[in-house]
Amino acid sequence: MVRWIQHPLIEPGKIEARLYQQLLAANVIKKGNTMIVAPTALGKTVVAALVAADRLEKHPDSKILLLAPTKPLVVQHEESFIEFLKASTSSLTGAVKLEERIKRWNDSQIICATPQTIESDIIAERYSLEDVSLLIFDECHRGTGSYSYVFLAKRYNKQAKNPLILGLTASPGGDEERINQVCQNLFINEVMVKNEDDPDVKPYFNPIDVEWVKVELKKEQLDIKTHLDVALKNRLNGLKKLGVLNSIQQVSKKDILRARGKVQNRISQSASPPRDCLLAISMLTAVFSVMHSLELLETQGVSNLHSYFERMRKKKTKAAKGLFKDENFKTAVNLTRQAYNNGVEHPKLGKLMEILKSAAEDKQQVIVFSQYRDTINQIYNKCQKEGINAVKFFGQANREKEKGLTQKEQKNIIKAFKMKTYQVLISTSVAEEGIDIPSVDLVVLYEPVPSEIRMIQRRGRTGRTTSGRMIVLITKNTRDESFYYSSMHRERRMKKQLANGYNQPERPLIANDEDVKVLDRENKDNLSSDKRVVVYVDHRESKSGVTRELSNLEVKVEPTSLPVADYQISPQVAVERKSTHDFVSSLMDKRLYKQAEELVENFQKPLIILEGQDLYSSSLHPNAIRGALASLAVDFNIPIIPTRNPEDTAAMIYRLAVRELDKGSKDVQMRTERKPLTLQEQQLFIVESLPSVGPVTARKLLEMFDSVEGVITARVDDLKKVDGIGDKIARNIRKIIASKYSDTFRYSKNAENDSTEKPIVNGKNKPSKEFILEKDVEND
């Protein structure tokens, strides 16, 4: 006879009285901040509901906040808590409008939300965590690095009147350092582990049968592989001769990335890098491309490889061009195209169809996992041809030829699959974590994944109500086998480590709570008035990590839409933040100088923060980067401040804001549009409209002739006296000024045929420095 939990806040007949769940909940209440590690389907959500009921009973005016990494999972938790508890419950995600989010927060006792949404609202001070008596981190193994869980745990620990943290996961990871890091970041003091072999769990656990199904590559694939292997080996040998690699046996992608970092560091230290270094960079990039090609061929199939080759063909890098000149690589590309045109499929696809047809006969519900959306589409199309009732399930991100699924579409697909409208759900990793589909009989992995966490998550989609089954498709003698063995080894290591007990290091490792309080006092004491620092932040910067660090520094962060710059500190001072990657990218696509012009036009004291320590790690020649930095500093007079990471950037912005406040700067007047042109700016604008005249040359012309009229009436010989203006440019300027309007059409036709004419960008001629830059790039 089933017994049910009796509690004033728990709906009658909704939570089965399982002893192990009650003991877990009691331990959390007694011992404080806790991580629960337990296999999927053992009811971690039920434990969270039991703890939540206790907290709401003790603190009736408080709130419960449950955070989950995906929107479908948030909605699922919302439905569970509505079913279990007698409390007002709602969900908050980015899809909910701002006003409605604030209303739901104020009106609800239990809030289920994505962490990014709560983080942005907390930073903007739309509400606080003060009244939250229980903070639940679902899939808490994500609490590392810059993930939002880390920020929210710290803020909660600081704000909450009655704090309690509960972390839930099926797989914290096999690395002891990672587990320690999660516990430290989420302020976890206790780790409780439950597994399927525990006596009190075993009666409720359904065993999962794992089966390997091995296939062999077809002849066409083996022929392609042979040529790709030779192309790879030749380049690895070349790298060994250059001294970049010590061995070419069992070289991984990580080895290649590590080697590339060393070479790029060598390049960045020299004004004239050795030719061998530039050659090595090109070869390493090519090696990475060939390795990825082999992975697609072995684990996914000809169609995916063909698509990858087509994308590679459009690249203009030396590495790509060099590969397409390589006889072995060219042969591999041609053989792939022939196999694609002949409809050659990976043997996994045929085996998968056999498995799905057999499952259909037994009326089983199946989830098929693959990490590539191209493969998802390929499987789906094959199911359609074979008459298998299948549906695709993936994330919200858009791809080149396919839109992502909206939250509503995801929810409807899961609901339809639960109701057995579809027999097969073909999914990317988005369905790995926590999605509750209790009737799944079979999980099929199209390819193994090297992560023990993801392997456990995928396996946990089956065996929830009856015995489960998982099939892993593996291609013999390929990366599939190494990935599978790797995940199994990591999982065994994780279980052994947890079984031996968990020893948490002293926390925190960097500073204790008193240190933080002292730092906060110092930050506040540094202000010459009791007025709080305010920084306006462009919406595009909300996910940079800088805003959360500014918030940690007690800065009043005001999210808004800034037409110019990323951060506005005062009426005079604005900051354009660029990561090293974005700096190089904006340099290559010519955005950099346009942004510099706008900064100078709109602010008296603009500056650029350059964040990161790998500025010279791109394929761009270091001298091109140095030239750009020199141009920004000298031609535009924009200071460039280097920072190491988002934390360092936030500290620098904070210090700039404090200086402005100490100097008595007025309240920040947010710029919602570009500044009206002053007389001087209008003069520059007119002169810049002349052919081949950029902002720097325009200033030189006005300094030479003192007025627009002086520039307009200047003779060719006088114009040539200005640095940067030669005979051709001077004559073109005079031609524009002196030509009659009726001759305009004739001049335009001549200009079109003049191959020496400088191109026009955004209504203005390109600054001459950009052409110098292009020459530097071509010499790379």
Side-chain angles (χ1 to χ4, degrees), residues 95-208:
V96 180
K97 291 183 179 179
L98 174 59
E99 296 78 9
E100 178 63 18
R101 291 207 304 270
I102 296 173
K103 184 178 184 300
R104 290 187 187 183
W105 179 273
N106 292 329
D107 295 345
S108 303
Q109 292 172 283
I110 300 174
I111 298 105
C112 303
T114 50
Q116 296 84 0
T117 302
I118 299 297
E119 179 186 43
S120 64
D121 286 347
I122 292 298
I123 288 173
E125 300 181 13
R126 295 171 184 135
Y127 44 77
S128 82
L129 303 175
E130 182 181 5
D131 295 325
V132 175
S133 62
L134 174 63
L135 177 55
I136 304 165
F137 293 105
D138 193 24
E139 311 296 351
C140 67
H141 55 267
R142 288 175 172 250
T144 60
S146 60
Y147 194 65
S148 297
Y149 279 3
V150 180
F151 168 82
L152 290 171
K154 184 176 181 180
R155 183 56 56 92
Y156 177 67
N157 204 48
K158 186 177 181 180
Q159 286 185 345
K161 291 183 291 189
N162 300 292
L164 177 63
I165 291 174
L166 172 59
L168 307 174
T169 182
S171 45
D175 187 350
E176 183 179 3
E177 183 179 347
R178 179 189 175 91
I179 299 174
N180 289 338
Q181 192 65 55
V182 171
C183 290
Q184 179 179 322
N185 290 341
L186 303 187
F187 298 89
I188 298 294
N189 303 316
E190 191 76 21
V191 175
M192 291 189 288
V193 182
K194 279 289 174 186
N195 60 61
E196 55 269 30
D197 297 323
D198 290 344
D200 55 350
V201 169
K202 210 162 189 177
Y204 303 99
F205 187 80
N206 299 303
I208 299 172

Side-chain angles (χ1 to χ4, degrees), residues 232-258:
L232 177 62
K233 187 176 180 181
N234 289 341
R235 280 161 178 77
L236 291 176
N237 280 323
L239 290 168
K240 186 178 180 181
K241 288 179 181 178
L242 290 173
V244 176
L245 295 176
N246 296 324
S247 171
I248 61 171
Q249 302 298 319
Q250 296 182 331
V251 178
S252 67
K253 286 184 178 180
K254 284 186 178 180
D255 296 328
I256 298 302
L257 290 173
R258 198 177 297 115

